[in-house]
Amino acid sequence: MANATYPPPPPYYRLYKDYLEDPKSAPEPPPPIEGTYICFGGTYTTSDVLPSLEEQGVRQLYPKGANVDFKKELRSLNGELQLHILELADILIERPSQYARRVEEISTVFKNLHHLLNSLRPHQARATLIHILELQIERRKEAVEDIKKRREEARRLLNESLATLDDQ
């Protein structure tokens, strides 16, 4: 029973055989996807717009508008979530048949929390990018300082060598 270690390459590798000599001989990549597309049974979109809670069919528990105090609203929703969970525990003990409404309220609070957090994603991405760029600048400044130190050390060694040769 002989098995190959690796399967043979797919047949379309022949399309790229002259790529090193003539890069235009290979087929062009497919165009980027625009709009919506289906992947593994789910429908996705290429736009980065966060749909509102109303579009998702969820009641919004925090004020609408552009100037929302995220910190205050997240704390408020967190407190409300804790209260609903305690109420659910009480209802499960006293009236177990009435738990469905409390579970729905908890679900609404969770969806509002997630929506608020997802609203902060662009800010988080900008802050992360700024941090990465600052680290890169710091590393490059350190590299420049290291190069300057090594250059001065090389000049000093060359001057000492020249002085030694002049003395002989």
Side-chain angles (χ1 to χ4, degrees):
M1 186 162 142
N3 288 332
T5 307
Y6 296 104
Y12 57 83
Y13 81 94
R14 291 183 187 92
L15 299 173
Y16 299 91
K17 66 180 177 181
D18 298 328
Y19 181 77
L20 292 176
E21 292 84 28
D22 182 19
K24 295 192 184 224
S25 66
E28 291 292 318
I33 298 172
E34 298 287 332
T36 60
Y37 61 96
I38 297 174
C39 182
F40 301 114
T43 303
Y44 300 94
T45 181
T46 57
S47 65
D48 286 337
V49 178
L50 181 64
S52 68
L53 286 170
E54 286 81 24
E55 291 174 11
Q56 299 175 23
V58 178
R59 183 171 52 100
Q60 186 166 333
L61 300 176
Y62 56 90
K64 296 175 183 164
N67 50 358
V68 174
D69 184 5
F70 288 96
K71 195 174 191 179
K72 180 182 146 241
E73 295 303 327
L74 285 169
R75 281 188 177 151
S76 170
L77 287 171
N78 188 35
E80 193 173 334
L81 177 65
Q82 291 174 359
L83 178 67
H84 283 304
I85 289 174
L86 288 174
E87 288 176 354
L88 176 65
D90 287 341
I91 285 178
L92 286 174
I93 292 170
E94 296 171 6
R95 302 175 303 273
S97 62
Q98 298 177 0
Y99 77 95
R101 193 179 105 229
R102 295 295 179 197
V103 170
E104 184 61 36
E105 290 172 357
I106 290 172
S107 175
T108 302
V109 173
F110 265 124
K111 289 175 183 174
N112 276 266
L113 278 168
H114 279 279
H115 192 268
L116 271 175
L117 291 173
N118 285 334
S119 300
L120 292 172
R121 297 257 184 233
H123 173 72
Q124 178 189 17
R126 280 191 299 275
T128 303
L129 182 62
I130 289 169
H131 178 70
I132 289 170
L133 292 174
E134 286 172 349
L135 287 176
Q136 286 180 357
I137 289 171
E138 184 180 323
R139 284 190 204 121
R140 288 177 182 173
K141 285 181 180 178
E142 290 172 359
V144 167
E145 289 300 318
D146 186 48
I147 289 171
K148 286 180 181 178
K149 286 179 188 174
R150 291 179 188 271
R151 182 186 67 190
E152 291 303 318
E153 184 181 335
R155 280 187 180 161
R156 184 184 53 79
L157 288 173
L158 282 173
N159 288 338
E160 287 176 5
S161 300
L162 288 174
T164 305
L165 286 175
D166 288 342
D167 290 343
Q168 291 178 0

